[in-house]
Amino acid sequence: MKLFQQMLVAGASLSLLAPVASQASDVVNIEEMNSYARSQSKSSRIDSKTFINEVSEDIAILKGRVDGLEAKQNDFEAGAFSETTSMDGKAVFTIGAVDYSLASETASEATQAMYTYTMNLNSSFTGDDNLYVRIKTGNHSDWSKTKTYGTYLSSANSKDNTLTVDKIWYQFPVGDNNTVWVGPKIENYYMHGTTPSIYKPVTKQFTLGGNGEAYGASTDTGAGWAYKADNGFAVSSNIGTKSTTSKKNAAGDYYNTGLLTNETKTSWATQVGYTKPNYSVSALLNVKTNGWSDTYYHTADHGTGGNGNFTSVGLRGWWRPDNTGTATPSISVGFDTTEYDGAPSSTSNSTAYFVGLNWQDMFQADDRIGLAFGQPTTNESESVDPFAYEIYYSFKPNDSVTVTPAVFGGTDRNGTSGADVFGAVLETTFKF
C-alpha cells in the first residue's frame, strides 16, 4: 500500500475509535470499581459475635447427640457384667451306651444322646478375693449318672433342663500364704491346699486320684482354710455339712437337720502335702459322720455294719516328665483305707487303689491319651476282687472344641461275681 493510502486508513481508524473510548469512560469508572471491591471485601468479613453464636449452636447440637449416645450406653451396661466380673463356660454333647453282663440287670442299655451346659462367674471386689458362682444344667439319666457300676460321667448333670446355681462360695486371702473359703454350696476338695491328682478322667470314679471314701465329696454348706508355703509345703482343713439336708424322723416325716448339729451329715477333711513342678505327695484324713455318703468309687457292700460314722485316710502322689510328646506319661496314684465305727471287726475296714496315666501332644498339639484303672472301695469281707478301667483319646479340632472318644468298664464292678460292665461314649466339648 502507498504511503498516502496508509495515512488515509490510519485516520479513518482513529475516527472510529474515538467515540467508543468516550462511551467507555462514561460506563466503566475504574475508581468506582475499586471502591465497590473494597466494600464487598468488608461485607464478606466474619463478625466475631455471629461466629460464636453459630458455633455455640453447633456445639449444643453435638452435645445433645453425645448425651443420647451415653444414655444408650448406660442402658446397655445395665444389662452387662461389671468390670470386676468375668464369665466363661462350656457345653458338652455326649452320645453313648453301656452293656451289662448280668441278665438280672434291668438298667437301660439304650444308646442315648445327652448334654451338659455350664457357666462360671468370677467376681473380685479387692483384686485378690473371688466370689465364684457356677450355673449348670443338663439332661443326663440312667447309666451316665449312676454310681453302682462306676459309669457316672465326669460331665454328667441331671437338672432336667433347668438352670440352677450348682456352686457358690467366696474366698479371700489372709496375709501372703493363707486362703479362706466359705459358702452355702461348696465341696471339700475345692478347699484343699495340694492337688491330689493330675489325671484327667472321663468317668467320675477316677477324679481326685480315686473318688472314694477319703476324697469323695458332696455339695453343701462349707468352710475351709489352706496355708501354702513358698517352698511347696501346704496344709489345709475344711468342713462340709449338709445343713439343709432333709431327713426322716421316727414318724417318717422329713425335717432339716440344721448346721453342725448332732444329726447333721458332716465331712471334716485335713490334708498335708508337698508340691514341686514335676511331682507332688499328700496325705488326707477325712472324718465323716451321721451317714455322709458321697463316693463314686465303691462296691455295693463297701461299708456295711457300721453306725454311719467312719474315718478315711487318702494317700496321693503324682509325677510328670519335663517334656510332653514322649513315650513317658504323667502318672497319678492313690490309695485309701477306711475304718467304720461300730462295725464288726470282720467288716470294719475297706481299701481302694487307683492308677492314672496321661500322654500329651502325641499326634498333634494339645491331644491327650488317658488310661486309668484300679480297685474300687472294697470291704475286707467281700470275696471278689472288683476292677475298673477307662481308656480315651482327646484331640482339638480348634482352640475351643475338644473331641473325646472313650471306653470304660469293669469286672465284678459292684462287688458281685460276674457283674461286669462295658461302655463307650463320644463327647464333644465347646468352651467359650
Side-chain angles (χ1 to χ4, degrees), residues 17-145:
L17 289 173
V20 173
S22 176
Q23 292 177 6
S25 65
D26 293 337
V27 176
V28 181
N29 188 309
I30 299 300
E31 181 61 27
E32 289 180 357
M33 290 178 64
N34 290 336
S35 176
Y36 175 78
R38 287 192 296 268
S39 67
Q40 287 295 101
S41 176
K42 289 180 181 180
S43 65
S44 64
R45 291 177 184 174
I46 299 175
D47 181 82
S48 61
K49 291 182 179 180
T50 302
F51 173 77
I52 291 173
N53 291 336
E54 290 180 354
V55 171
S56 296
E57 290 177 2
D58 291 339
I59 291 174
I61 293 172
L62 290 174
K63 186 177 183 301
R65 292 175 179 174
V66 170
D67 290 342
L69 289 173
E70 288 180 348
K72 292 180 180 179
Q73 181 182 2
N74 291 334
D75 290 340
F76 173 78
E77 290 179 349
F81 296 120
S82 69
E83 294 180 355
T84 61
T85 299
S86 63
M87 188 199 82
D88 63 81
K90 65 180 180 180
V92 183
F93 293 176
T94 303
I95 183 169
V98 298
D99 178 68
Y100 302 102
S101 62
L102 290 180
S104 59
E105 181 57 61
T106 59
S108 173
E109 295 180 337
T111 301
Q112 300 180 50
M114 300 155 285
Y115 83 95
T116 298
Y117 183 83
T118 305
M119 292 183 291
N120 302 299
L121 301 175
N122 291 277
S123 300
S124 180
F125 307 97
T126 67
D128 297 315
D129 62 342
N130 185 42
L131 173 65
Y132 175 71
V133 180
R134 187 169 81 179
I135 301 173
K136 204 169 185 179
T137 188
N139 67 342
H140 283 254
S141 61
D142 295 326
W143 57 267
S144 68
K145 66 176 189 65

Side-chain angles (χ1 to χ4, degrees), residues 44 174 177 233 343 388 426 431:
S44 64
V174 178
N177 301 96
F233 172 77
L426 176 64
K431 291 188 175 182

Side-chain angles (χ1 to χ4, degrees), residues 201-222:
V202 170
T203 56
K204 200 164 185 176
Q205 62 183 340
F206 292 131
T207 59
L208 304 168
N211 198 337
E213 299 281 43
Y215 274 89
S218 183
T219 302
D220 216 295
T221 309

Side-chain angles (χ1 to χ4, degrees), residues 379-392:
N379 196 276
E380 60 183 332
S381 64
E382 296 186 72
S383 59
V384 299
D385 294 316
F387 184 76
Y389 66 88
E390 70 175 28
I391 305 171
Y392 71 86

